[in-house]
Amino acid sequence: MTTIERESMDYDVVIVGAGPAGLSAAIRLKQNEPNLSVVVLDKGSEVGAHILSGAVIDPCALDVLLPEWRTMDAPITVPVREDNFFLLTEKSQIRLPNVLMPKLMDNHGNYIVSLGNVCRWLAQVAEGLEVEIFPGMAASEVVYDEQGRVAGVVAGEFGKNPDGTPGDAYEPGMELRGKYVFFAEGARGSLARQLMDRFALSEGKDPQKFGLGLKEIWEIDPAKHHEGTVTHTMGWPLNSKAGGGSFIYHLDNNQVCVGFVVHLGYENPYLDPYREFQEFKHHPMVAELLKGGKRVAYGARALSEGGWQSIPKVTFPGGVLLGCSAGLVNVPRIKGSHNAIFSGIAAADAARVALAAGRAQDELTDYEEELRNGPVGTDLKAVRNVKPLWERFGLLGGVALGGLDMWMTTLTGHSPFRTLGHGKSDAAATGLAASFKPIEYRKPDGQLSFDRTTNVAFAFTNHEERQPCHLTLRDPSIPIQVNLPLYAEPAQRYCPAGVYEVLRPENEQPRFQINFQNCVHCKTCDIKDPSQNIVWTTPQGGDGPNYPNM
């Protein structure tokens, strides 16, 4: 076996991921101690290129990190002016009175944003504090020292042949070593998953749960646009097929974000989250809003939904998990950016104390304590039973009991329920195809709804075709020999980008094809594959979607 020789660079703190968690940690570190050396790596072609979220953000954490942000030309300019909740049937909708909603569901005081643009702005703030930021540098490997502690990451490896061997233009990348390494890769990060296994970080915790968020940006008729309006729906078209719902956020410039979230714990392997989303846009209320408009962007991303019960141990020798790598989304609020920022602040503060004491590569236990007992823990503990109640009692029962739980917690500080567990992982929740009937979906009309391949073009995704496929199979025989007969190979449907196909050539056996060039890095395959056979790894740096304003 040939050992690859790499140059190395040393820093006080290395941060993997230029999302709100990673950038907030970098900013806080330099605020605490300007002389610290801090580097942020991101696999997107630019900061924000791989960021996708609704997004309505709660500015509470930003107020702590950058109290003067309102005077800093932040792209946070559309306050929520109207908050709507609807229960949809196929042909109509029922407005749920705002007075019935628990206080924590109120969006007034929050802002509708492009989270990608917020991250681009945070990167500018960080660079102004002399943080080094390297986009297009995928961190592909964790570096450990002789004692097994995390010591850094390998980043910037390019030019491999499809079989994984070095090509003619091979660049081995560099080792970026840090006294501490922060992992802020988002939900189901590839390195975070390895670290969870190596250090048994999820031992004793509930399995992490996930949702798939799909989103389009539309330019609509100015007469129908109402800047600052937030609308959430549940019910049709999912009804009892799966948990989830929609969001419609009116940005500025006559744009609306139209999104759909499907909880990935669904049973029916014939369910197609992408086509459920396209179906949703044919609801009369939504169709009327979009009529005459133009779709300008599309994307998809998994989001962590396990909440309090599923937060892993977030520290290990030499590093920590931040943001969605730790699973910090508040599911009923559909918000995680504030907790991501709080986690970055807490990790940076813990690192400052450790570095000032001359420590390195030990566990930042102060961070773990602050995460669980500070604002993040307070936020997530209050809603810890909402997701399990929905899983157990379905749409109407779950929403009613979840609402009761949030009201009682708000009024008394205590949940009427013990802390409920999540049970199975999303992969294990997948049922056998023989127990279900295929779902008939309408044909896309090209005006409101679109086929998968056409829509992926609006994610502006690109992968160098000569590199190794970044979607690996533990056992190449499983898709056809196991998943196809047992589950009708659900990868054909749960992937929102058409990456996976079962080809049936005439007079030949079926063949499983991976179109990795289409991948939008949502990680759903790594989560939902019932055999847990698909492993998502990083492609070479800069490849993937290029979201402009998601």
Side-chain angles (χ1 to χ4, degrees):
M1 181 177 178
T2 302
T3 301
I4 298 174
E5 293 187 6
R6 296 184 171 98
E7 296 181 6
S8 66
M9 296 179 66
D10 294 326
Y11 292 88
D12 290 308
V13 180
V14 174
I15 300 173
V16 181
L23 291 169
S24 298
I27 290 168
R28 184 71 162 195
L29 283 163
K30 296 294 275 189
Q31 289 173 332
N32 286 338
E33 177 49 69
N35 292 324
L36 290 178
S37 57
V38 180
V39 64
V40 179
L41 308 171
D42 195 76
K43 65 183 176 66
S45 59
E46 63 170 346
V47 172
H50 290 179
I51 297 291
L52 184 147
S53 183
V56 172
I57 67 167
D58 182 338
C60 59
L62 205 53
D63 288 338
V64 174
L65 180 70
L66 297 167
E68 305 300 319
W69 67 264
R70 291 172 179 82
T71 64
M72 296 173 64
D73 294 322
I76 307 173
T77 59
V78 181
V80 176
R81 296 186 172 93
E82 184 177 347
D83 220 356
N84 301 313
F85 301 89
F86 289 96
L87 177 63
L88 301 187
T89 63
E90 185 174 358
K91 300 295 183 183
S92 63
Q93 63 275 352
I94 301 169
R95 173 78 183 269
L96 303 179
N98 288 51
V99 69
L100 296 180
M101 297 296 160
K103 179 65 177 174
L104 62 85
M105 298 292 286
D106 186 0
N107 276 306
H108 291 91
N110 299 330
Y111 292 81
I112 304 172
V113 301
S114 157
L115 191 61
N117 288 339
V118 171
C119 289
R120 291 179 178 97
W121 168 72
L122 286 172
Q124 293 175 1
V125 174
E127 287 177 326
L129 295 170
E130 298 186 343
V131 173
E132 294 184 43
I133 300 178
F134 298 147
M137 291 279 281
S140 55
E141 183 180 333
V142 180
V143 176
Y144 301 95
D145 67 8
E146 295 79 4
Q147 287 76 44
R149 303 174 299 185
V150 172
V153 294
V154 174
E157 191 173 20
F158 292 88
K160 285 185 176 181
N161 293 318
D163 64 359
T165 59
D168 293 338
Y170 177 68
E171 298 178 21
M174 297 187 65
E175 288 187 2
L176 291 97
R177 291 178 168 264
K179 296 173 182 175
Y180 295 102
V181 184
F182 293 179
F183 293 86
E185 300 173 290
R188 198 67 165 196
S190 55
L191 298 185
R193 182 176 179 181
Q194 295 173 31
L195 292 163
M196 288 183 191
D197 291 341
R198 182 182 180 98
F199 294 107
L201 301 181
S202 294
E203 189 173 302
K205 311 296 182 183
D206 270 27
Q208 186 59 261
K209 304 291 284 185
F210 296 90
L212 173 59
L214 306 109
K215 177 182 174 181
E216 294 172 355
I217 299 178
W218 282 68
E219 292 178 357
I220 64 170
D221 181 347
K224 301 176 184 178
H225 183 258
H226 302 284
E227 184 176 306
T229 296
V230 166
T231 298
H232 290 107
T233 79
M234 51 192 163
W236 188 87
L238 287 175
N239 295 328
S240 62
K241 289 180 289 188
S246 83
F247 58 87
I248 302 173
Y249 301 154
H250 288 244
L251 283 158
D252 49 4
N253 300 318
N254 299 317
Q255 289 193 335
V256 294
C257 301
V258 183
F260 203 74
V261 177
V262 178
H263 301 170
L264 290 177
Y266 61 82
E267 291 185 79
N268 189 342
Y270 290 110
L271 189 136
D272 187 324
Y274 175 83
R275 296 187 74 175
E276 295 286 341
F277 175 37
Q278 299 306 304
E279 189 81 3
F280 161 73
K281 291 182 291 176
H282 285 277
H283 188 276
M285 181 183 76
V286 185
E288 177 57 32
L289 175 69
L290 301 181
K291 183 179 179 181
K294 179 176 67 173
R295 162 210 46 176
V296 297
Y298 163 74
R301 186 70 175 90
L303 58 151
S304 57
E305 294 188 337
W308 176 252
Q309 299 92 315
S310 301
I311 299 175
K313 185 172 183 285
V314 294
T315 66
F316 41 87
V320 300
L321 302 178
L322 302 182
C324 280
S325 285
L328 305 183
V329 172
N330 184 312
V331 174
R333 296 186 72 198
I334 324 179
K335 290 178 180 62
S337 298
H338 62 301
N339 285 338
I341 294 172
F342 274 133
S343 74
I345 292 171
D349 288 349
R352 174 184 60 84
V353 172
L355 292 167
R359 292 161 45 198
Q361 293 178 288
D362 59 351
E363 291 204 34
L364 296 174
T365 55
D366 288 352
Y367 167 57
E368 180 99 34
E369 183 175 349
E370 172 62 19
L371 192 76
R372 296 185 183 278
N373 298 315
V376 175
T378 299
D379 186 58
L380 295 181
K381 277 189 285 188
V383 298
R384 65 191 182 278
N385 285 325
V386 174
K387 169 85 171 175
L389 287 167
W390 193 325
E391 291 171 336
R392 295 182 184 202
F393 297 101
L395 174 62
L396 296 180
V399 168
L401 290 171
L404 172 65
D405 180 72
M406 287 187 284
W407 267 115
M408 293 297 292
T409 302
T410 299
L411 295 173
T412 69
H414 300 285
S415 169
F417 306 98
R418 60 180 175 81
T419 299
L420 303 173
H422 291 302
K424 299 178 181 178
S425 69
D426 292 332
T430 310
L432 297 175
S435 302
F436 300 90
K437 294 181 179 180
I439 301 171
E440 295 293 329
Y441 292 100
R442 78 177 75 201
K443 183 179 179 180
D445 67 358
Q447 297 180 20
L448 290 174
S449 53
F450 311 97
D451 68 82
R452 214 176 308 245
T453 304
T454 299
N455 227 6
V456 168
F458 286 81
F460 311 105
T461 192
N462 181 66
H463 294 85
E464 166 55 55
E465 296 186 11
R466 292 186 295 268
Q467 68 182 296
C469 176
H470 66 279
L471 303 161
T472 63
L473 302 178
R474 290 191 170 99
D475 183 343
S477 71
I478 282 180
I480 299 302
Q481 295 184 13
V482 178
N483 284 358
L484 186 59
L486 292 183
Y487 307 103
E489 187 42 271
Q492 303 172 91
R493 293 173 291 279
Y494 60 59
C495 174
V499 169
Y500 302 101
E501 292 182 276
V502 174
L503 303 180
R504 301 174 186 270
E506 189 175 352
N507 300 321
E508 295 182 29
Q509 291 297 313
R511 178 165 57 87
F512 191 62
Q513 178 163 299
I514 301 177
N515 307 306
F516 76 88
Q517 298 89 347
N518 289 2
C519 181
V520 294
H521 298 198
C522 73
K523 317 288 181 65
T524 303
C525 55
D526 197 292
I527 296 163
K528 186 60 177 171
D529 177 53
S531 299
Q532 286 294 272
N533 188 49
I534 300 174
V535 179
W536 193 98
T537 62
T538 53
Q540 64 184 21
D543 286 3
N546 287 280
Y547 296 137
N549 298 299
M550 294 295 239

